[in-house]
Amino acid sequence: MMKDESVEKQSLPDLLRKQEKGTTVYHPVFYRLNNLADKNKLETLLQSSPSVTIHDELISQLQELIKTKNPKVRLSTTELDNGVVAHLGMVPPEEYGVWVYYPWSHKLIHLLDEEEFIEVRTNRNQYKITVAERDQLGKLKIGVVGLSVGRTIAITLAMERGFGEIRLADFDLLELTNLNRIQAGVYQLGLSKAISAAREIAEIDPFLKCVCFTEGLTEENMARFFQEGGKLNILVEECDGLDIKIRCRQMAKALQIPVVMQLNDRGMLDVERFDLEPERALLHGLIDHLDVSRIKDLTNEQKIPYLLPMIGTETISSKLKASMIEVGQSISSWPQLASSVVLGGALTADVCRRIALDQYHESGRYFVDFEDLVGDKNNASLQNHIPADTERELTELEMQEMIDCSGVQPDKNQLALTQEQIIDLVSAAIAAPSGGNAQPWKWFVSGNNLFLFHDRIRSVSLLDYADTASHIGLGAATENLILKAHSMNLEVFLKHFLPGKDKLVAMFRFYSKDKTPQDLPVEPHAVDDLASVIFLRSTNRKIGTRKPIDEQILKEIRDAVRTIPGAGLHFLQKPDDLERCGEIIASVERIRLLHTVGHTNFVNEIRWTREEAERTRDGVDLETVDLTPSEHIGFLMARHNDVIKHLNNWKGGRAFENLARKSVAAASCLGLVTMPSYGPEFFFQGGRAVQRAWLTANKRRISFQPVSPCTFFFSRLIQGKGAGLNPETQMELKKLRTSFETLFPLPPPVGEIFLFRLSLADQMEIKSLRRLLEDVLVIK
């Protein structure tokens, strides 16, 4: 016989590229051999498909049926065999029941027919589910939207036979990353999630009806999903699409269909009984304040305010909170665990059954948190331990005692200020900036002198090593007071850092111009024009876009700083330099937030609501921070100590760098105020220089924002020899310090006082508030 040359041998790659077709099939085929047509079709199938695997365990099923019908009797093997023969009668075993063919697996299974199959398969449900309840459940139509989590719910419902028909909607295909929580074999990769779930249900119970919506739930097919073939009895919503989450609830509400949702975290279960409460607000009213009609046209960022109330940012687990911060950094999506998904399947199936059987009638949000229910009762070791703060608020008696010990003598030439003048002066002083808007000052009028105190309880923080940040704020307040005094035609004598008590910062005496002693070193009038900007000054955290600032304006700012003896100002303007410094600033921000004390300081300084800001009148109002919705989520998640613990364990937290990096990327330039050396006096005078720079910039409509945590950390690293920092943090800071020195090559012992960014951005609508005068001023 001649070889057929036309038939070419296929290569292994070609053979491997062959894939099974017909992957949309999910309905089994039934053959009842007492029906001649079915018998002929099955014969044709077996002859044309020799690869079909036949599985015939009918006899064992019949034995189970016999046992089920005789629960009082313990039947022997012989009695069971005789019972099967009697039950079959004259019917050949191969013709009894039904042969079920699964086209996707090429398996042919011999089963009891529907009625007997159901009786045997659900026998172990009795009496947790009675026969009457089983039959009632068998009439249910349940819809499941979203099958990453919804698949387990659907399978659990199928195992309990909690429905007669199930509609499965998901547009997605199975991927390898799904297999950490979806019970499916690797051979199903690339298969529709809906079809995969429908096939598994059919393999559990071929008599259950499945309808797949492989395009997912859409505006176009939603009416069919809810009503075609009969209205749904229950909707299980587990989809990712925000617009569909809302839209399907709107339709469920209109059709009075209850909705059940499982979050897959802390065993959270959500129930909305629109069947019993047709006027009930969607999602328990959590999104009533939002315009749901706009959702479809929103970007992912814009959808976040709708998503937050749905998931409950305050009630999700600490690991999920921390994971949300890591999305887009070290992970690509939210984590989900099989154990949580399986728990959710159990909870949802249970609630759906009880809703259907009229055993549960309420709406609500519930938690079955295993870590809380089954966990160490004493987990104090897991908490962050912050050393107790030994500081307490300064009292009037303490301040008076420090004044009495100061050795200050009265001057017959000084003015006795009126109460109105004192109020005007101190009101201007407390309009000054301070780290975290802590406002670490108290003012005390004794005799004709005005004293400034450092109220340390308000400023102790990781960034305030040796009170450096506080001295800057106290210096800025001093500058404001002197500018205001000059605008009131008053001369000012300043004596600062009086001996004996470090909390007594400065003493001020005031003179009229014509009665000022010739030899008295009163404060010069170098920048008196800045007094008009005191109450206009603001921190502008709006990002803006990078635009160059006129060199003349930068010169004016630099000149204003230099009016303080020894003060200097160094600008970074080159894009490459700004980018490098931005990385340093961003890295330090991450270090600060991941540090136990630094994180506590951050949480305590933020005013998380406008109501809190108005009540405390200090701290940083969150509304003054230019955040995208996703960044806002990050701030909310970052409030919790256990979140920071997780991020540290994972070596994560890079997301904390993003806002600082973005802020510097939009800066026109960065400025560093310096003084000849370190020490309280230099930081105090440096604070005055900073305020002159700030007021000058704002006067010229230039936005000003501090970005100085890195200089404060470097002070702790160098001057404090790394006090309070672990070796790993010190090592990272040393590397950042080396990079910083290449950008600002300052000769020692020059002290770096304050780093800030200048930009051209829209004005802030909201300014941080100041404490009331009666809280900071004592007049004796």
Side-chain angles (χ1 to χ4, degrees):
M1 181 180 291
M2 295 184 62
K3 183 179 179 181
D4 186 355
E5 299 293 340
S6 64
V7 178
E8 295 184 8
K9 183 179 180 181
Q10 289 183 302
S11 66
L12 180 59
D14 288 336
L15 292 169
L16 291 174
R17 278 192 287 269
K18 288 186 176 181
Q19 293 195 36
E20 179 187 356
K21 303 299 180 183
T23 55
T24 59
V25 177
Y26 59 91
H27 289 124
V29 183
F30 296 88
Y31 299 99
R32 292 175 173 87
L33 300 193
N34 57 6
N35 180 293
L36 183 60
D38 280 4
K39 191 172 186 177
N40 291 335
K41 288 178 183 177
L42 180 56
E43 186 176 349
T44 300
L45 170 69
L46 294 175
Q47 289 176 348
S48 62
S49 304
S51 60
V52 171
T53 301
I54 299 173
H55 191 80
D56 186 353
E57 285 292 323
L58 181 72
I59 299 303
S60 67
Q61 295 169 52
L62 286 168
Q63 289 174 338
E64 286 190 284
L65 179 64
I66 301 300
K67 289 179 185 177
T68 298
K69 291 184 177 295
N70 297 276
K72 295 181 179 180
V73 181
R74 189 174 184 86
L75 299 171
S76 67
T77 302
T78 301
E79 289 171 326
L80 282 174
D81 291 342
N82 292 337
V84 169
V85 171
H87 188 83
L88 287 172
M90 300 301 293
V91 179
E94 65 270 14
E95 292 187 7
Y96 192 88
V98 61
W99 290 87
V100 182
Y101 177 60
Y102 295 96
W104 52 89
S105 63
H106 306 292
K107 287 184 171 62
L108 181 66
I109 315 297
H110 197 183
L111 297 173
L112 296 173
D113 215 336
E114 185 169 4
E115 184 177 337
E116 293 180 338
F117 177 90
I118 293 171
E119 181 181 356
V120 174
R121 195 176 81 78
T122 62
N123 177 258
R124 299 295 177 88
N125 289 350
Q126 188 88 325
Y127 286 103
K128 288 194 171 182
I129 301 174
T130 66
V131 171
E133 289 171 339
R134 179 199 70 191
D135 294 343
Q136 185 179 342
L137 293 171
K139 298 173 183 177
L140 285 187
K141 296 175 174 62
I142 294 181
V144 181
V145 185
L147 292 165
S148 284
V149 173
R151 176 194 179 101
T152 302
I153 297 169
I155 300 303
T156 306
L157 284 165
M159 287 192 289
E160 288 190 357
R161 214 164 206 281
F163 60 84
E165 177 183 334
I166 192 163
R167 299 169 194 169
L168 306 171
D170 199 314
F171 63 85
D172 213 353
L173 306 179
L174 275 169
E175 298 175 330
L176 187 56
T177 53
N178 299 140
L179 300 191
N180 76 315
R181 62 195 183 279
I182 292 181
Q183 186 176 336
V186 291
Y187 62 89
Q188 295 186 57
L189 294 176
L191 181 64
S192 160
K193 289 180 180 178
I195 289 173
S196 174
R199 288 179 176 180
E200 185 169 351
I201 291 171
E203 290 172 356
I204 293 169
D205 189 333
F207 303 105
L208 292 171
K209 181 180 179 181
C210 293
V211 181
C212 289
F213 290 73
T214 55
E215 69 276 29
L217 190 62
T218 66
E219 293 279 357
E220 292 72 26
N221 68 18
M222 195 171 292
R224 285 196 299 114
F225 182 84
F226 273 85
Q227 293 183 286
E228 189 172 79
K231 188 179 81 170
L232 289 178
N233 299 103
I234 299 173
L235 173 67
V236 176
E237 186 279 297
E238 298 293 342
C239 69
D240 294 331
L242 183 61
D243 52 335
I244 295 300
K245 278 184 176 290
I246 300 297
R247 185 72 187 89
C248 72
R249 277 175 173 76
Q250 291 172 328
M251 182 161 283
K253 180 176 178 177
L255 295 172
Q256 297 185 28
I257 297 171
V259 178
V260 183
M261 177 182 73
Q262 207 282 325
L263 182 60
N264 183 31
D265 181 71
R266 292 192 62 219
M268 192 277 269
L269 188 75
D270 211 64
V271 184
E272 297 167 273
R273 295 302 303 269
F274 297 123
D275 54 328
L276 303 180
E277 306 169 77
E279 300 305 316
R280 184 177 184 81
L282 302 184
L283 286 157
H284 318 295
L286 294 172
I287 59 170
D288 278 358
H289 60 294
L290 300 168
D291 183 2
V292 296
S293 65
R294 298 179 55 242
I295 290 179
K296 190 173 182 180
D297 300 321
L298 299 179
T299 64
N300 288 338
E301 278 284 341
Q302 293 168 331
K303 289 178 180 177
I304 287 174
Y306 296 80
L307 180 63
L308 285 176
M310 290 185 186
I311 65 173
T313 54
E314 293 304 311
T315 54
I316 60 176
S317 68
S318 61
K319 280 192 175 180
L320 185 55
K321 289 171 185 170
S323 299
M324 290 174 71
I325 294 172
E326 286 300 296
V327 172
Q329 301 295 320
S330 59
I331 55 176
S332 59
S333 185
W334 293 10
Q336 296 174 301
L337 292 179
S339 55
S340 299
V341 171
V342 171
L343 173 63
L347 295 173
T348 308
D350 179 89
V351 167
C352 287
R353 169 171 30 84
R354 289 189 288 123
I355 288 173
L357 297 177
D358 198 31
Q359 297 170 353
Y360 165 65
H361 309 91
E362 297 182 3
S363 299
R365 178 164 287 187
Y366 308 91
F367 295 88
V368 182
D369 186 351
F370 272 12
E371 289 192 28
D372 181 51
L373 295 171
V374 186
D376 294 332
K377 300 307 178 186
N378 180 15
N379 59 0
S381 61
L382 302 178
Q383 305 302 314
N384 288 313
H385 293 282
I386 309 297
D389 192 350
T390 58
E391 293 295 333
R392 55 188 177 82
E393 186 176 0
L394 271 176
T395 65
E396 290 185 23
L397 179 61
E398 288 174 312
M399 289 188 283
Q400 186 64 66
E401 288 177 350
M402 282 185 265
I403 291 170
D404 293 342
C405 295
S406 67
V408 172
Q409 299 298 318
D411 184 341
K412 62 181 180 180
N413 295 308
Q414 71 183 101
L415 281 176
L417 299 180
T418 66
Q419 183 167 320
E420 183 179 357
Q421 286 176 310
I422 293 170
I423 288 173
D424 287 345
L425 288 167
V426 176
S427 295
I430 65 176
S434 56
N437 193 27
Q439 305 171 52
W441 43 63
K442 280 202 171 181
W443 304 83
F444 196 106
V445 178
S446 179
N448 293 326
N449 298 318
L450 175 61
F451 293 87
L452 169 60
F453 288 87
H454 178 196
D455 194 6
R456 292 191 76 249
I457 193 172
R458 302 192 59 81
S459 60
V460 174
S461 74
L462 183 67
L463 297 181
D464 199 20
Y465 173 73
D467 298 330
T468 51
S470 294
H471 293 322
I472 294 170
L474 295 165
T478 294
E479 183 62 26
N480 270 10
L481 184 137
I482 292 169
L483 289 173
K484 181 63 177 178
H486 287 172
S487 74
M488 296 164 62
N489 293 315
L490 299 173
E491 297 294 343
V492 183
F493 170 72
L494 164 65
K495 183 176 180 62
H496 53 79
F497 299 106
L498 299 169
K501 298 288 185 180
D502 63 350
K503 292 181 182 180
L504 178 52
V505 176
M507 182 275 293
F508 304 88
R509 285 180 179 155
F510 303 93
Y511 299 84
S512 62
K513 288 184 178 293
D514 57 344
K515 289 189 178 181
T516 303
Q518 293 284 333
D519 58 346
L520 187 68
V522 295
E523 291 299 306
H525 293 253
V527 290
D528 284 356
D529 59 312
L530 297 180
S532 62
V533 197
I534 287 174
F535 294 103
L536 300 176
R537 183 210 61 80
S538 67
T539 299
N540 194 333
R541 299 182 180 88
K542 287 200 171 181
I543 300 300
T545 55
R546 179 173 291 172
K547 298 175 184 175
I549 296 175
D550 188 282
E551 287 295 332
Q552 179 58 36
I553 295 177
L554 296 180
K555 182 179 182 301
E556 290 177 25
I557 298 172
R558 185 184 289 111
D559 289 345
V561 168
R562 288 175 175 172
T563 57
I564 294 293
L569 176 55
H570 309 266
F571 284 120
L572 282 186
Q573 293 175 270
K574 294 180 180 179
D576 288 349
D577 290 343
L578 290 172
E579 182 178 355
R580 288 170 57 202
C581 198
E583 291 302 315
I584 297 170
I585 293 168
S587 297
V588 170
E589 186 65 12
R590 167 179 48 78
I591 290 170
R592 177 172 81 104
L593 290 177
L594 292 178
H595 189 285
T596 303
V597 178
H599 173 257
T600 301
N601 299 153
F602 160 77
V603 172
N604 291 340
E605 83 177 27
I606 294 292
R607 297 296 168 257
W608 299 93
T609 65
R610 188 60 185 165
E611 292 74 19
E612 184 186 11
E614 291 173 351
R615 175 173 52 81
T616 64
R617 304 189 67 82
D618 61 6
V620 177
D621 188 338
L622 191 58
E623 291 188 24
T624 67
V625 184
D626 192 2
L627 299 175
T628 64
S630 59
E631 289 166 345
H632 187 262
I633 284 185
F635 265 64
L636 295 178
M637 299 300 101
R639 294 173 64 175
H640 304 276
N641 288 339
D642 46 2
V643 169
I644 300 304
K645 178 185 175 183
H646 291 314
L647 292 174
N648 275 311
N649 288 340
W650 303 338
K651 304 298 182 184
R654 297 284 173 184
F656 293 147
E657 301 177 359
N658 292 344
L659 184 60
R661 186 180 290 114
K662 185 169 66 171
S663 176
V664 175
S668 301
C669 65
L670 296 176
L672 178 66
V673 174
T674 62
M675 289 296 289
S677 187
Y678 286 89
E681 181 175 350
F682 291 109
F683 279 92
F684 179 83
Q685 288 296 98
R688 295 186 64 185
V690 168
Q691 184 67 344
R692 293 186 181 188
W694 205 320
L695 294 172
T696 304
N698 282 180
K699 184 177 182 181
R700 296 302 302 266
R701 299 184 181 279
I702 303 298
S703 296
F704 188 108
Q705 180 189 0
V707 287
S708 207
C710 62
T711 59
F712 297 144
F713 259 102
F714 293 153
S715 178
R716 179 173 288 276
L717 177 70
I718 298 168
Q719 308 304 317
K721 302 187 185 306
L725 305 175
N726 63 39
E728 185 178 352
T729 299
Q730 290 187 46
M731 184 177 299
E732 183 175 5
L733 283 171
K734 286 175 182 177
K735 292 178 181 177
L736 294 172
R737 173 68 188 177
T738 300
S739 180
F740 188 84
E741 288 174 344
T742 64
L743 294 168
F744 296 101
L746 304 172
V750 170
E752 300 143 8
I753 303 299
F754 196 80
L755 187 65
F756 61 88
R757 80 169 187 129
L758 299 179
S759 64
L760 298 170
D762 296 336
Q763 293 301 304
M764 296 292 298
E765 294 84 10
I766 299 174
K767 292 179 62 176
S768 293
L769 301 176
R770 291 295 181 272
R771 298 169 69 204
L772 300 176
L773 269 177
E774 55 260 36
D775 295 328
V776 298
L777 173 61
V778 178
I779 301 177
K780 286 294 187 180

